[in-house]
Amino acid sequence: MKKTLYPGFGILLVDDEPAWLKSFALTLKSCAGINNIVTCQESREVMGLLDQGGIGLVLLDLTMPQPCGETLLQQIGESHPEIMAIVVSGMNQLETAVRCMKLGAFDYIVKTDEEDRLVSGVLRAVRILELQQEFRTMSDRMLSRELKHPEAFVDIVTADARMHDLFNYVEAVSPSHQPLLITGESGVGKELVARAVHNLSGCSGPLVAVNVAGLDDTVFADTLFGHVRGAYTGADQARPGMIEQAGNGTLFLDEIGDLSIASQVKLLRLLQEGEYFPLGGDRPKRMNARIVVATHRDLAAREAAGQFRRDLYYRLCTHRINIPPLRERPGDIPLLLDYFLKEAAKSLGKKKPTPPKELAQVLATYSFPGNVRELRGMVYNAVSLHKERILSMDSFLKAIGQSRDTAPLASQTQNPFAAFERLPTFVEAAELLVEEAISRANGVQAIAARLLGISAPALNKRLKMSRK
């Protein structure tokens, strides 16, 4: 199995004490999951290693044979300003620390500091470098507007420009180890985007998906963290949680907006510390998986209402993708219709039927509250009932009509006539309604008549009367 390196750039440890190099490398690996490490005992070799490329962060000791740490720090700033440097010294001197910061050091860490202080300083630098790298990547992608890996989005059928921009963003942030939040209405394809993120991430582990809606705090913890033998009555053997099953892959948590406050606290700690305790266990385990979450809820509104923790909300928003609903991209309906017709026919063992010419236009007048998932269900139902060469529109019209019949009318605050200084007459209102229906139907009177709930001859008669 291919070994996953974290972070995506190398971290160079420079010190003339081999014991410290070995110890700190093990500390970074065990406490932070950092394994993309290069060590160097000879200060004279540092610039040559940096010239080879691939290094993003240098941890530099000061007291070394020539060139000393301060000289190297200055050389790194002049020759490789894109590389971040942290001074790790045995000297706890304010003047030395200030001098190093003036030379361009990102941080000054004393070797005798607690282990957590050392690791958190490195992780802070790694996160900043990752964000800088992602910003550069996104800028390049947005300028070129060309996907480097279009095959990752083969399951997402679209020709919409906003979706194409979304794909560019996905390509840019997929290699990141920071959390990713996917929002959008039910049925828009959030899990398909999560799968594309995983496929582009380069992670060697699997994609593990968990729907957390309705899970109480104990079940949530057991599902994610697992348990040790004897953790509770009936726990006859240890069971790994979804985090461990994801390994070096991606953990996808769907419906995160329905998570209880108690479970939110556990998720926040997992994201902050990168470690967790299995139920009943007293030894922490390290999380190596990338976290991707999704919800159809308005998290900002839930946070304002006190139903979602603010600190967790902002941590999840490091990277955010919002998928537009199908009603905002009607140009995708013909593509999706053809795609699902092929898929349904193959699944049901039938020949792909020919859809009526006006079907796509009829569907474009519908709001699709269930989005792409609803359209897929409509197509499968129609193909299952199909017997003739031309696909019948009856099942589509029935589904659309039933949905419209049960949909609530606009509330008083949304009344379109409320903004009118003078109310239109019945004749004027009817003319406005007919005009809007014709516009939505792209001039097809049969479709406009269905929108208005009248027959095509009745609409034709009204149009003739209005022209007189």
Side-chain angles (χ1 to χ4, degrees):
M1 181 183 294
K2 181 182 177 182
K3 184 180 180 181
T4 301
L5 294 178
Y6 174 72
F9 49 83
I11 297 179
L12 178 62
L13 307 184
V14 184
D15 198 296
D16 57 352
E17 299 180 14
W20 185 87
L21 287 175
K22 183 178 181 179
S23 173
F24 194 51
L26 290 173
T27 298
L28 290 177
K29 184 176 182 180
S30 61
C31 296
I34 293 175
N35 59 357
N36 196 355
I37 296 174
V38 180
T39 59
C40 179
Q41 293 179 232
E42 294 289 339
S43 58
R44 292 171 296 182
E45 299 175 0
V46 170
M47 297 308 296
L49 289 172
L50 299 184
D51 290 339
Q52 294 176 15
I55 301 296
L57 175 63
V58 178
L59 273 68
L60 188 63
D61 184 31
L62 286 183
T63 55
M64 294 185 296
Q66 291 298 324
C68 66
E70 287 190 36
T71 301
L72 275 176
L73 187 60
Q74 186 172 358
Q75 291 176 354
I76 292 171
E78 293 172 352
S79 302
H80 297 281
E82 76 284 0
I83 295 177
M84 192 174 286
I86 295 178
V87 173
V88 184
S89 173
M91 298 184 296
N92 189 4
Q93 299 176 352
L94 179 60
E95 296 82 359
T96 304
V98 171
R99 193 164 59 249
C100 289
M101 301 300 279
K102 288 182 177 180
L103 288 173
F106 170 75
D107 201 353
Y108 186 97
I109 300 175
V110 180
K111 288 183 178 179
T112 55
D113 284 347
E114 293 182 359
E115 189 176 87
D116 290 346
R117 164 80 174 91
L118 298 171
V119 174
S120 62
V122 174
L123 285 175
R124 188 166 59 252
V126 167
R127 291 191 185 103
I128 291 175
L129 284 168
E130 285 180 335
L131 289 173
Q132 290 176 347
Q133 190 176 61
E134 289 159 18
F135 177 77
R136 289 192 296 269
T137 303
M138 280 189 285
S139 299
D140 294 340
R141 297 272 169 83
M142 294 306 175
L143 288 173
S144 67
R145 299 185 66 84
E146 291 184 4
L147 295 174
K148 292 187 177 180
H149 301 282
E151 69 279 359
F153 308 98
V154 68
D155 292 329
I156 306 175
V157 180
T158 183
D160 188 79
R162 286 176 302 171
M163 292 294 288
H164 186 84
D165 290 341
L166 184 150
F167 293 166
N168 273 292
Y169 181 81
V170 168
E171 279 197 337
V173 302
S174 289
S176 171
H177 279 70
Q178 299 302 310
L180 171 66
L181 171 63
I182 305 174
T183 59
E185 297 178 4
S186 294
V188 293
K190 296 186 287 293
E191 186 165 353
L192 290 178
V193 173
R195 191 169 298 279
V197 170
H198 172 70
N199 291 336
L200 290 166
S201 67
C203 295
S204 59
L207 170 68
V208 175
V210 185
N211 190 319
V212 299
L215 298 184
D216 63 32
D217 186 47
T218 302
V219 176
F220 172 78
D222 192 25
T223 301
L224 258 65
F225 308 145
H227 61 255
V228 300
R229 182 180 179 183
Y232 53 82
T233 303
D236 299 328
Q237 57 184 4
R239 185 182 69 82
M242 294 300 184
I243 298 173
E244 188 172 345
Q245 292 180 36
N248 291 318
T250 302
L251 180 63
F252 175 52
L253 304 179
D254 201 5
E255 302 301 347
I256 197 72
D258 296 317
L259 204 59
S260 68
I261 294 294
S263 295
Q264 291 175 31
V265 174
K266 289 181 171 60
L267 179 58
L268 177 63
R269 185 186 181 281
L270 176 68
L271 294 174
Q272 287 177 333
E273 306 298 332
E275 62 182 25
Y276 62 96
F277 288 87
L279 292 184
D282 55 3
R283 292 184 179 181
K285 289 189 175 183
R286 191 74 199 170
M287 178 182 70
N288 298 318
R290 165 83 175 281
I291 297 291
V292 177
V293 301
T295 182
H296 71 282
R297 303 278 191 182
D298 185 344
L299 286 191
R302 291 181 70 80
E303 181 271 320
Q307 298 171 325
F308 203 86
R309 290 182 62 96
R310 177 174 297 181
D311 43 9
L312 177 59
Y313 171 68
Y314 285 112
R315 183 168 286 275
L316 292 176
C317 284
T318 303
H319 301 304
R320 181 173 181 175
I321 294 170
N322 183 61
I323 306 174
L326 183 57
R327 64 179 172 274
E328 294 182 6
R329 41 191 180 102
D332 284 346
I333 290 178
L335 298 175
L336 289 165
L337 179 60
D338 184 68
Y339 179 84
F340 290 140
L341 283 173
K342 292 177 182 176
E343 184 182 76
K346 182 178 180 181
S347 174
L348 297 170
K350 293 185 175 183
K351 186 177 180 181
K352 179 194 170 188
T354 302
K357 294 181 179 179
E358 65 271 25
L359 177 57
Q361 185 59 48
V362 169
L363 294 174
T365 66
Y366 180 56
S367 62
F368 280 103
N371 290 287
V372 179
R373 184 185 295 131
E374 184 180 8
L375 174 59
R376 183 177 185 271
M378 285 184 182
V379 173
Y380 266 72
N381 183 52
V383 174
S384 66
L385 300 172
H386 171 66
K387 295 180 180 179
E388 306 295 335
R389 187 177 65 87
I390 302 297
L391 184 68
S392 173
M393 290 178 55
D394 291 345
S395 64
F396 291 98
L397 296 176
K398 183 178 179 180
I400 291 173
Q402 288 175 345
S403 179
R404 284 175 175 154
D405 290 341
T406 57
L409 294 175
S411 64
Q412 186 64 31
T413 56
Q414 297 172 323
N415 192 325
F417 298 113
F420 283 57
E421 184 175 347
R422 178 187 69 84
L423 285 176
T425 65
F426 277 110
V427 174
E428 290 171 336
E431 289 179 351
L432 290 172
L433 192 58
V434 169
E435 183 180 340
E436 178 62 21
I438 291 293
S439 175
R440 293 191 182 190
N442 284 344
V444 181
Q445 292 186 24
I447 298 174
R450 291 193 185 99
L451 293 175
L452 295 170
I454 61 177
S455 66
L459 175 60
N460 185 264
K461 182 179 179 180
R462 181 173 289 277
L463 289 172
K464 288 181 178 178
M465 291 175 59
S466 64
R467 297 191 188 108
K468 291 182 179 180

